[in-house]
Amino acid sequence: MRKIILLFAVLLSFIGGEAVAQEAKSPAKILVAYFSYSGNTRTVAEQIQKATDADIFEIKVKDAYPSDYQELLDRAKKQIENHTRPALVSMPKNLSQYDIILIGSPNWWSTIAPPVATFLSQCNSSAVTLVPFVTHGGGGMAKCETDIKALCPKAKMLKGLAINGSSVQDAAPRVEKWLRGLDIIK
């Protein structure tokens, strides 16, 4: 009988200790960082921010992209081909405070936009979980996840989300389902 009581006491202390440990664990600190040319990626980033209550950061380049679409395509293609990392206006302060960075980009030439590559190359991503999301005109995720992983090989990466630019306005339910599937929101 003594052994049963002792076993029961040990079991209760283990369960109680587990509950205290779970209560003490703070929620993940999340950043939504994105680059948006046309506003589509911004729309999805804002939907993610609203669903997660995360901090949000817009990646901006010092030398703005041209408003003429063909000129944009020409510059972006050249930057991608040459692995150019355009200078950014700023970086978030203390990136190391974040556990999860949801990183957003338009799909340009089947990869992430060069400003997103600059951002990723400047952050120490070894202790962070990266979660990509892209907007596109028909190319889906293409090589975006692979290219992010190549830039941040030590980071943990979760499954990304690709949303067609024509459907971003109605994407909030899909975004929330994706975030729940990744266990980022309940």
Side-chain angles (χ1 to χ4, degrees), residues 1-13:
M1 183 66 166
R2 230 180 211 182
K3 287 182 182 179
I4 292 173
I5 292 172
L6 182 60
L7 181 61
F8 187 71
V10 170
L11 183 61
L12 280 177
S13 70

Side-chain angles (χ1 to χ4, degrees), residues 29-43:
K29 184 77 172 152
I30 302 172
L31 175 67
V32 179
Y34 70 94
F35 171 78
S36 188
Y37 174 77
S38 67
N40 288 336
T41 309
R42 176 182 297 111
T43 298

